[in-house]
Amino acid sequence: MTTSEETTAGPAARRSGDDTRAAILRSARDLFAAQGYERTTIRAVGAAAGIDPSMVMRYFGSKERLFETALAVDLRLPDFTSVPRAELPEAVVRHFLERWEAAPADDPLLIMLRSAVTNERAAERLHEAFAQQVVPALTAALGPEAVARVAGVMSAQLLGLAVVRYLVRLPAVAALPPEELLARLVPAVRATLEG
């Protein structure tokens, strides 16, 4: 074997630090998505990334810190202040539906949802994501009083959609085309927003 072949042999041969970190995060997201927090182990993450589990610990220090990093979520919310109020329910539902329809199985938000049922920190991260991203976006569009009144129920509607369609995959909901699902869910969100 030549020297250049030796440096490229094997799945983790001569990875840069950034490549190793990225491989660990990809593997962790896959496993957290498939198994949840409780059943995912550092050893399994290392094996999936093609590295020794000690390297996972070297980069992240603990399973909890790996989980925290893997779950960094950006909801990519649009500026709802430019949306006429009558169209806001559809804009909100459409945004989340399109995001989830395009999301890979290892989407941090879906991982968080799956894990939040059994892991308190995942539940806290889910609350934080909505409090830090959804609430301000809606407050700008609706005002603080309206958002204080409706944010919890609307979050339940949106997260309920994600759980039923993408995690539990309830056939009656999973089989609906996105536009039909949008048409059925928008009136419920409109009723919530109108209080």
Side-chain angles (χ1 to χ4, degrees):
M1 200 183 295
T2 68
T3 304
S4 67
E5 288 172 333
E6 288 172 351
T7 61
T8 59
R14 303 280 183 178
R15 279 187 186 150
S16 72
D18 289 343
D19 290 343
T20 300
R21 182 178 171 81
I24 292 168
L25 283 173
R26 271 193 310 275
S27 298
R29 286 185 183 120
D30 289 345
L31 289 168
F32 287 135
Q35 302 176 172
Y37 177 85
E38 304 301 332
R39 291 180 26 217
T40 298
T41 64
I42 292 294
R43 183 177 305 278
V45 171
I51 62 170
D52 189 274
S54 65
M55 292 298 287
V56 177
M57 296 303 287
R58 177 177 169 219
Y59 279 88
F60 295 96
S62 68
K63 178 177 163 180
E64 183 172 310
R65 284 185 45 206
L66 174 60
F67 189 65
E68 293 278 328
T69 305
L71 293 188
V73 64
D74 179 358
L75 298 175
R76 301 184 297 273
L77 293 167
D79 177 7
F80 290 128
T81 60
S82 63
V83 177
R85 192 165 181 145
E87 297 171 20
L88 187 61
E90 181 175 344
V92 171
V93 176
R94 183 176 296 281
H95 171 76
F96 279 93
L97 186 59
E98 287 176 353
R99 185 186 187 285
W100 283 318
E101 288 293 309
D106 66 350
D107 177 60
L109 186 55
L110 294 178
I111 294 169
M112 215 183 312
L113 276 169
R114 175 175 279 118
S115 300
V117 176
T118 59
N119 182 271
E120 187 174 319
R121 185 59 190 135
E124 289 171 8
R125 288 293 303 270
L126 188 59
H127 297 173
E128 290 166 8
F130 269 70
Q132 294 169 2
Q133 295 178 55
V134 176
V135 170
L138 290 177
T139 299
L142 297 172
E145 288 181 20
V147 171
R149 193 177 66 249
V150 303
V153 173
M154 193 177 77
S155 295
Q157 291 168 316
L158 296 172
L159 295 175
L161 166 64
V163 169
V164 170
R165 184 171 175 90
Y166 305 104
L167 298 180
V168 176
R169 294 183 183 93
L170 187 68
V173 177
L176 287 175
E179 286 302 315
E180 186 175 344
L181 187 58
L182 184 73
R184 292 182 185 202
L185 190 56
V186 166
V189 172
R190 176 171 284 111
T192 297
L193 290 179
E194 291 173 358

